[in-house]
Amino acid sequence: MQRLSVRKPSPYPIAIGEGVLAQVEVPQGPKALLYDRKVEGFALEVAEALKVPHRLGLEGGEGAKTLEVYGRILSFLAQRGLPRNTTLLVVGGGTLTDLGGFVAATYLRGIPYLSFPTTTLSVVDASVGGKTGLNLPEGKNLVGAFHFPQGVYAELRALKTLPPFTFKEGLVEAFKHGLISGDEGLLEVEGLTPESPRLEAYLAQAVAVKVAITERDPLERGERRLLNLGHTLGHALEAATHHALPHGAAVAYGLLYAALLGRALGGEDLVPLIQRLLRWLAPPPLPRLVWEDLLPYLARDKKKVSESLHWVVPLAPGRLEVRPLPEALLREAYGAWQAELEAAGLVRP
């Protein structure tokens, strides 16, 4: 069992391993459970172990992060008369922890919640750091709030039920943490499986990177923006493909684009490293998209400052910059990015 602690701005424990339910500390008061039906067995295990009477199962995925589903959950809680000291337990992947956290942030102006992430993506990224939110038709995560959990409990038995690609795509975020921190161990994803003896320590190592950054900058006013590495283009690709492209695959494609920007600005050539990641991941090929197809989504990116879109540019592992970039450079890098993908067979005919 790996145990970490987030100290600020709101302290909470993180447990990663097998048998985490024995570690759970639930605040006093009523409890409700929101869960992804794909992991109903584990969700019912949580409900029985922690004596949760109110339970709502949903279909996970980006389609769950809508205003319509959000309203449905609020009504579920309100119809049962659940008060402000209710704790919401959220079991599922990143979309469920984003959605459930936002429900907790806004129901009765804020109730406590616990996260039980069941995918690699939600373990290393979505469940930690207090970012919650919903999508709009105009773009991803355009509605949200910072609301920190009371605890995060990652049961690794749940990861053994994941399809192989789902397991791998979540580790793209851990790889990204390696680029940000310069931790070479996190860049070694090949060979990791749900049965790997080093998986528990690897996930904790990746989470520790995010914890350290979010403690220093919880509300994303400075250093935390580094965690958006690969996400600016990645989120645009997700939106342009109507979320047919999985998040981890989109971020991997975004990392390749970021590496090309870094190389163009005189940084270390990280393109071969990202090419290796893509070969291991084997993501779904992209449709043919021109730069103009992505511009509407880039224009609405939540990382804009005034009229400038800020890009996270890796110049070397552990050395990144956040800055606006000229349109000509962005277009040139996009052309190079398309050429790399064509050569790798990652664009649909």
Side-chain angles (χ1 to χ4, degrees), residues 240-277:
T241 59
H242 306 288
H243 299 292
L245 184 67
H247 178 71
V251 171
Y253 283 130
L255 289 175
L256 178 62
Y257 182 70
L260 288 161
L261 290 174
R263 187 172 72 182
L265 291 170
E268 182 179 324
D269 186 3
L270 299 175
V271 171
L273 182 64
I274 310 303
Q275 288 172 329
R276 193 183 83 194
L277 173 72

Side-chain angles (χ1 to χ4, degrees), residues 118-125 159 162 166-168 170-171 203:
T118 59
T119 64
T120 45
L121 177 61
S122 55
V123 172
V124 301
D125 188 51
L159 302 187
L162 296 174
T166 304
F167 174 85
K168 290 168 73 173
L171 296 181
L203 294 175

Side-chain angles (χ1 to χ4, degrees), residues 22 41-42 61 71 92 95 119-120 163 171 180 186 192 204 206 219 258 268 273 287 311 331 337:
F42 176 60
T95 56
T119 64
T120 45
L171 296 181
I180 293 169
L186 292 176
L192 279 172
L219 302 182
E268 182 179 324
L273 182 64
W311 296 82
R331 287 178 177 273
W337 177 80

